[in-house]
Amino acid sequence: MSKYLIKFTKCSIIRYISHLDLMRLFHRAFKRSRISLTYSQGFNPHPKMSFAQPLSLGYTSVGEYLEFETLKEYSNNEVMERLNLVMPAGIKVTDCWKLKNNNKTAAALVCWGSYEITCQGDFDQPPGQAVQSFLQQNQILIQKPQKKRKEMTEIDIKPLISQFKIIEEKQGQVKFLVVLRAGSQANLNPELLMAAFYAYMQKIYVKEDVSIKRLELFDQTQKALYEIHER
Amino acid sequence: MVLTEQLDRLLSQVEKPGRYIGGELHSVYKDENNIATRIGFAFPDTYELGMSYVGLQILYKVLNDLDQVYCERLFAPALDMEILIRQKRLPLFTLETKTLAIDLDMVGFTLQYELAYTNIINMLDLAGIPILSRDRGKEHPFIMAGGPCVFNPEPMADFFDFMVIGDGEEILPEICKVHRQWKKSGRDKKEFLLTLSSFQGIYVPSFYQPVYRTDGTMERIEKIEDKAPKKVTKCIVSNLTEAPFSTEPIVPLIEVVHDRSVVELFRGCSRGCRFCQAGMIYRPVRERSKDCILELAKKQLASTGHDELSLLSLSTNDYSQIENLVEQLMEMGKENNVSLSLPSLRLDSFSLRVLEEIQGYKKTGLTFAPEAGTQRLRDVINKCITDEDIYEAMKQAIILGWPRVKLYFMIGLPTETYEDLDGIGQIARNIMDIYKQYRYKQKGGRFGLTISVSNFVPKAHTPFQWFPQDSTESFHAKHIYLKKQLQSIRGVQFNYHNPGQSQIEAVLARGDRRLGKGIIRAWELGCKFDGWREQFKYDRWIQAFTETEMNPDFYANREIGLNEMLPWDLVDNGVSREFLLSEWDKAMKGQKTQDCRYGCIGCGINALNSCERMGTL
């Protein structure tokens, strides 16, 4: 039995499939690649495979991670090659690590995520200044729907933002880089941040004008997941 | 994989955008410059339904295996997407290259179900293609149809340039060849249709003109074009083992209705249930060899990575080597964590044993179709199941711990009385008694029975094609009657189909060419996705019929005279009129007809194609 962590990209139109669809996609890809995964025991065995952090439908990413357990041992390169041979367009495995047994799972490690956000359209006021003053607020309150109950609750997202800056500004388009809490403890969806920022600027948030790309996932100390594992 | 910027903006606003993106594993992308014939395979329902249809996978392969042909897919956009693409005036496009449907050479619709007819009109409209064949010019694609519903081609005749009746695998490459030559010749569209009309299985509606009597019945079908055949005989693929079948089916990126590998065991059915259209129009029975099935299953599983394999046929148990095949497939599945799924099973001891092995602890539900509540009525419809069969199967199922059993019945069948409805109640009570008797032996805990009742719809080319459908009022009354009986039994659930939907289905199933304007009107009034219960608008359909002076009762609820000419008489499906008449006669006398594996019953199909199954049992 061997454990691996792979890093992969989810690009172009395949961003329009959901997290569940992606799970099924990998499940089938492993079967096609003839890399045999170990299965859980019990009445309803399922392959041992888990993603570090789900990606919202519609986002692209160059920093997705998946862990899995195989029956046989393969070299890191072999895992990558075999998987890439059978992947549909848009998914590409870019790195692979063999894990030691005592590693914490990737899902448990994830604490932060970085995103590149591209907004189409012009801003009335210089967005750079707006970002500054937006972040200088004591609290950044947003309405968030409750998972179980349907009512909205107000939360302060300021502690969930580590970085929020402009990396490119040109006619009709602004690119932001943000680092936000991610994972099971606390999580901030970049769309919620952008909606709050647009509201702050008194601008209407149009979903189709904003595209989001995840760049990387980090642990508590903001060390990227790929830096954590030795080759 | 292509995505226009315009489409990209829409995708972030719709539900399940994965329906519209293409780019799935094994979808085909070709150099568009070397193509003579560009085809759109159009499925008039959503992506999830269409991608679960095996016929699409077969024909997609057949066409794309041809050098100068490129076949792409078209589906009905869901309602939320339709609103957006109409707003943005974005015409219907193919999934693969996002080419506009109107720019293709041919668009072929599959007619799987009558209640999808308005979706076809809607898709043509979304594509910007004139709905009526006669309004289309040389700049428009040829619009063709296939599938089981074209066995009565008339209600949809005005919309199609030609229709392919029967198995498509062998004729489609011929059609492409003719198209290529015709395109080179630069001649007008009629020339192409003239050449095609000489082929077995091709029906060109515009070459015929039906003539009606004053009482509304048909007098004759006049040929307008001399060269057109008097009758159109269906295409038959004689050898299924040698017939093309996909080893690399498209693997959808999103979850569809059936996410699994599928291999077709055989086509046709030897049982001869008298209400069943599939059992008549797909004759003769043609089996695929066991080795071929195993090979196809193995290749499909390897190329797709599916974890489920299903076998396709009208009656799985009737495959001649079923036990051996299933054993080998289960062996194969165990090695690769692939589960086997067997639809259309007869519940005999073999099936239950296999199901026990396949499902083990994961037992969900078992379905079974006695179709009628009494032995007398089952004899009338030639459904050869006895009460004993039902109760023995139920006893076994209960002991094996199946938590839920669903039984299918049909009401409104010829000669049905309320005694037959009582029979349905009686069966439900008896099964619950069996449960009480055997529950101490049961492995699981609970047991629930679902009685699902559908409304009989008379279909073309069956022995019951002349029989009137019950009125919607009568169906309602019967539903209430059954509900009363069944709701008093603990553990029994009852559900039934919408009688309005069944009536419209019957109108379209037995309709003639005049109905075309009624269908257009219904679509104009907002009817689409009529097969979806929550979308179906009965009042609009009735309004459409009233406005176009059509009487739905004339088509659905009238007893058709045995000597009357039928709209579908120009389709020869190989089963003789004499056979259908004698089956009707026997039905009225309550006489059964044997499964033709025990000996030929003279249906007439062997005049068209050799029938290998007769007398094999």
Side-chain angles (χ1 to χ4, degrees):
Chain A
M1 242 171 3
S2 305
K3 269 191 180 174
Y4 297 90
L5 176 73
I6 54 170
K7 185 175 184 180
F8 65 94
T9 62
K10 187 184 179 194
C11 291
S12 78
I13 61 169
I14 215 158
R15 71 177 174 280
Y16 289 114
I17 72 167
S18 69
H19 180 64
L20 271 174
D21 291 331
L22 191 70
M23 274 173 62
R24 295 177 325 107
L25 184 153
F26 266 95
H27 185 178
R28 289 190 301 259
F30 277 113
K31 282 191 173 256
R32 293 196 294 270
S33 73
R34 307 188 68 90
I35 294 175
S36 304
L37 299 181
T38 56
Y39 274 66
S40 65
Q41 303 291 306
F43 292 155
N44 193 5
H46 54 271
K48 288 191 178 170
M49 175 182 105
S50 64
F51 290 89
Q53 171 76 1
L55 185 72
S56 297
L57 189 145
Y59 295 9
T60 56
S61 175
V62 292
E64 294 304 291
Y65 291 90
L66 173 77
E67 290 181 294
F68 52 90
E69 209 177 279
T70 63
L71 283 171
K72 282 189 271 176
E73 192 177 333
Y74 308 89
S75 75
N76 293 340
N77 269 336
E78 198 179 351
V79 169
M80 281 170 60
E81 272 166 25
R82 282 208 193 191
L83 284 175
N84 280 332
L85 264 175
V86 298
M87 281 299 172
I91 304 283
K92 190 169 187 248
V93 181
T94 54
D95 219 333
C96 175
W97 299 266
K98 191 164 185 308
L99 301 180
K100 297 192 187 96
N101 258 330
N102 53 7
N103 280 125
K104 237 180 158 179
T105 66
L109 284 171
V110 170
C111 210
W112 298 94
S114 61
Y115 306 85
E116 181 187 287
I117 302 171
T118 310
C119 299
Q120 307 295 336
D122 288 311
F123 290 80
D124 298 335
Q125 39 179 317
Q129 282 170 27
V131 169
Q132 288 304 321
S133 58
F134 175 73
L135 289 174
Q136 274 160 15
Q137 302 174 89
N138 286 334
Q139 282 187 316
I140 302 173
L141 296 174
I142 63 158
Q143 299 287 324
K144 199 181 172 182
Q146 284 287 78
K147 255 187 194 156
K148 281 179 195 152
R149 285 169 288 149
K150 279 190 182 141
E151 63 227 57
M152 307 287 271
T153 49
E154 201 170 55
I155 58 160
D156 176 18
I157 59 169
K158 198 174 172 185
L160 307 179
I161 305 168
S162 167
Q163 249 192 67
F164 180 21
K165 64 179 186 192
I166 291 171
I167 49 171
E168 197 186 298
E169 211 181 325
K170 58 182 181 194
Q171 189 70 33
Q173 185 183 303
V174 182
K175 256 186 199 165
F176 300 88
L177 176 78
V178 302
V179 179
L180 309 174
R181 275 301 295 271
S184 50
Q185 299 290 316
N187 191 68
L188 177 59
N189 185 318
E191 264 174 280
L192 285 178
L193 169 69
M194 290 318 284
F197 180 62
Y198 270 58
Y200 178 75
M201 297 214 308
Q202 294 177 332
K203 189 171 154 65
I204 298 159
Y205 181 77
V206 182
K207 201 179 163 169
E208 310 91 82
D209 285 339
V210 178
S211 52
I212 301 173
K213 173 158 93 175
R214 181 140 76 196
L215 301 173
E216 189 55 70
L217 291 169
F218 306 90
D219 75 350
Q220 218 172 354
T221 62
Q222 294 210 6
K223 201 167 166 188
L225 288 199
Y226 69 87
E227 295 174 305
I228 292 168
H229 299 285
E230 293 164 26
R231 301 268 149 192
Chain B
M1 202 159 56
V2 188
L3 188 63
T4 59
E5 203 179 307
Q6 197 181 13
L7 174 60
D8 198 10
R9 287 179 64 88
L10 299 188
L11 289 181
S12 54
Q13 301 170 60
V14 295
E15 224 180 289
K16 297 193 192 164
R19 287 166 167 166
Y20 312 104
I21 59 179
E24 308 98 318
L25 187 76
H26 301 152
S27 53
V28 175
Y29 289 82
K30 287 190 170 185
D31 176 1
E32 292 164 39
N33 296 316
N34 294 320
I35 304 296
T37 307
R38 294 195 59 172
I39 301 182
F41 185 107
F43 191 92
D45 211 305
T46 59
Y47 176 87
E48 294 96 308
L49 266 110
M51 287 311 294
S52 304
Y53 167 54
V54 178
L56 183 155
Q57 302 272 14
I58 297 176
L59 298 178
Y60 189 77
K61 174 199 158 65
V62 166
L63 289 167
N64 281 322
D65 279 354
L66 302 170
D67 258 352
Q68 297 184 53
V69 177
Y70 184 17
C71 173
E72 301 177 62
R73 290 162 293 155
L74 298 157
F75 296 97
L79 298 169
D80 62 337
M81 184 64 161
E82 180 180 338
I83 292 171
L84 289 179
I85 59 180
R86 281 195 189 275
Q87 260 172 22
K88 308 278 182 220
R89 299 182 192 284
L90 184 69
L92 194 72
F93 52 84
T94 61
L95 207 59
E96 281 82 355
T97 60
K98 314 293 184 277
T99 300
L100 301 187
I102 197 171
D103 293 334
L104 299 168
D105 294 300
M106 282 189 242
V107 174
F109 283 90
T110 175
L111 275 55
Q112 293 292 314
Y113 183 36
E114 290 85 357
L115 294 181
Y117 286 177
T118 49
N119 276 17
I120 294 171
I121 314 277
N122 198 41
M123 283 172 78
L124 286 173
D125 181 64
L126 280 168
I129 297 171
I131 289 161
L132 294 170
S133 163
R134 62 165 176 269
D135 294 339
R136 293 193 284 263
K138 201 168 178 188
E139 70 278 21
H140 294 116
F142 288 102
I143 308 298
M144 63 174 161
C149 290
V150 299
F151 279 84
N152 176 17
E154 288 305 280
M156 294 296 280
D158 287 342
F159 312 117
F160 289 100
D161 300 317
F162 66 98
M163 291 167 147
V164 181
I165 295 164
D167 300 326
E169 291 100 322
E170 287 168 0
I171 182 96
L172 275 169
E174 295 298 316
I175 294 171
C176 293
K177 207 161 112 193
V178 173
H179 176 261
R180 190 163 68 231
Q181 285 158 359
W182 167 82
K183 204 172 170 184
K184 232 188 265 168
S185 76
R187 302 172 80 165
D188 64 10
K189 279 181 116 173
K190 195 179 164 191
E191 286 298 320
F192 174 66
L193 296 174
L194 266 176
T195 317
L196 281 191
S197 69
S198 67
F199 286 29
Q200 182 174 341
I202 303 277
Y203 173 53
V204 180
S206 59
F207 291 173
Y208 302 83
Q209 176 65 55
V211 180
Y212 303 95
R213 296 176 205 275
T214 43
D215 66 358
T217 60
M218 258 181 119
E219 189 183 319
R220 61 182 195 279
I221 291 183
E222 216 160 79
K223 258 191 340 179
I224 297 175
E225 198 49 60
D226 271 356
K227 286 186 208 155
K230 220 174 144 194
K231 269 194 165 205
V232 179
T233 307
K234 75 167 177 185
C235 303
I236 302 177
V237 170
S238 302
N239 186 331
L240 216 59
T241 300
E242 281 162 24
F245 197 83
S246 185
T247 51
E248 296 191 334
I250 302 166
V251 184
L253 290 164
I254 63 166
E255 192 167 6
V256 296
V257 178
H258 293 306
D259 249 320
R260 57 196 189 191
S261 285
V262 184
V263 183
E264 186 185 19
L265 296 183
F266 60 93
R267 215 166 281 182
C269 180
S270 57
R271 301 202 154 250
C273 299
R274 289 172 181 139
F275 55 85
C276 178
Q277 190 185 37
M280 297 293 157
I281 63 175
Y282 293 126
R283 284 171 186 239
V285 171
R286 289 145 291 162
E287 283 198 350
R288 183 167 263 129
S289 79
K290 194 187 81 191
D291 288 344
C292 177
I293 292 165
L294 287 167
E295 173 90 4
L296 288 170
K298 207 166 147 186
K299 284 187 175 162
Q300 267 198 31
L301 289 170
S303 78
T304 60
H306 281 135
D307 58 5
E308 188 182 341
L309 170 71
S310 178
L311 302 176
L312 180 70
S313 70
L314 290 169
S315 172
T316 310
N317 293 77
D318 293 345
Y319 185 68
S320 59
Q321 300 181 64
I322 187 67
E323 305 210 4
N324 195 293
L325 175 71
V326 166
E327 259 165 47
Q328 281 179 269
L329 287 174
M330 285 205 299
E331 199 56 43
M332 197 158 119
K334 262 181 214 151
E335 289 164 21
N336 321 303
N337 282 304
V338 171
S339 64
L340 190 61
S341 140
L342 301 175
S344 312
L345 270 189
R346 205 168 55 241
L347 292 188
D348 55 16
S349 57
F350 162 72
S351 305
L352 284 163
R353 198 178 73 230
V354 169
L355 288 172
E356 181 67 13
E357 230 180 292
I358 294 173
Q359 297 215 307
Y361 288 99
K362 282 194 284 181
K363 286 193 191 74
T364 45
L366 209 55
T367 54
F368 191 35
E371 308 289 7
T374 59
Q375 193 60 54
R376 183 201 68 78
L377 190 53
R378 283 196 294 273
D379 289 348
V380 168
I381 64 177
N382 206 37
K383 178 88 190 183
C384 300
I385 301 177
T386 63
D387 282 343
E388 228 169 81
D389 292 338
I390 299 172
Y391 298 134
E392 182 54 33
M394 290 304 114
K395 184 178 126 189
Q396 291 304 321
I398 288 164
I399 293 173
L400 288 169
W402 287 87
R404 180 144 286 278
V405 170
K406 190 171 185 179
L407 297 187
Y408 284 109
F409 291 95
M410 225 182 266
I411 60 169
L413 287 162
T415 77
E416 180 191 73
T417 65
Y418 272 68
E419 268 172 46
D420 299 300
L421 302 187
D422 292 339
I424 296 175
Q426 194 55 51
I427 288 173
R429 271 189 297 275
N430 289 345
I431 290 173
M432 292 320 284
D433 284 345
I434 294 174
Y435 167 62
K436 280 174 205 151
Q437 199 183 337
Y438 287 96
R439 72 167 141 206
Y440 69 92
K441 281 193 183 175
Q442 204 203 14
K443 287 193 204 160
R446 301 175 52 119
F447 176 75
L449 179 67
T450 303
I451 303 289
S452 184
V453 165
S454 65
N455 311 315
F456 169 67
V457 178
K459 294 267 164 129
H461 301 285
T462 66
F464 290 169
Q465 62 184 359
W466 298 281
F467 188 75
Q469 188 183 42
D470 256 0
S471 65
T472 49
E473 292 80 16
S474 168
F475 278 134
H476 274 304
K478 287 176 180 176
H479 290 154
I480 292 167
Y481 183 80
L482 279 170
K483 200 170 179 177
K484 244 188 211 152
Q485 285 213 8
L486 294 168
Q487 71 188 10
S488 63
I489 314 170
R490 250 189 93 169
V492 175
Q493 246 190 33
F494 172 52
N495 57 49
Y496 51 90
H497 288 200
N498 178 339
Q501 254 175 324
S502 303
Q503 190 197 20
I504 303 303
E505 184 183 333
V507 170
L508 299 173
R510 295 206 302 185
D512 56 46
R513 207 178 274 204
R514 292 170 295 185
L515 265 180
K517 55 183 193 292
I519 299 170
I520 296 181
R521 189 65 196 138
W523 165 73
E524 286 169 346
L525 291 169
C527 293
K528 56 193 156 196
F529 289 105
D530 295 308
W532 299 29
R533 181 180 276 231
E534 71 280 9
Q535 289 302 328
F536 179 70
K537 303 175 185 82
Y538 184 66
D539 298 347
R540 304 275 175 89
W541 270 103
I542 296 303
Q543 185 189 341
F545 288 141
T546 312
E547 287 179 16
T548 52
E549 291 168 349
M550 299 271 109
N551 178 5
D553 299 354
F554 176 82
Y555 295 105
N557 311 101
R558 181 176 68 98
E559 175 153 13
I560 299 175
L562 294 179
N563 293 319
E564 226 177 87
M565 171 151 197
L566 303 167
W568 52 93
D569 271 351
L570 74 133
V571 173
D572 177 10
N573 82 44
V575 174
S576 69
R577 178 183 151 80
E578 291 68 36
F579 175 72
L580 295 183
L581 278 169
S582 106
E583 282 297 290
W584 171 245
D585 199 45
K586 284 170 85 176
M588 290 305 105
K589 293 180 185 145
Q591 292 172 356
K592 292 189 279 189
T593 295
Q594 67 184 5
D595 184 319
C596 59
R597 286 173 300 169
Y598 291 107
C600 183
I601 53 168
C603 73
I605 191 70
N606 49 7
L608 210 57
N609 194 86
S610 69
C611 177
E612 59 193 44
R613 304 291 291 149
M614 71 181 163
T616 53
L617 276 183

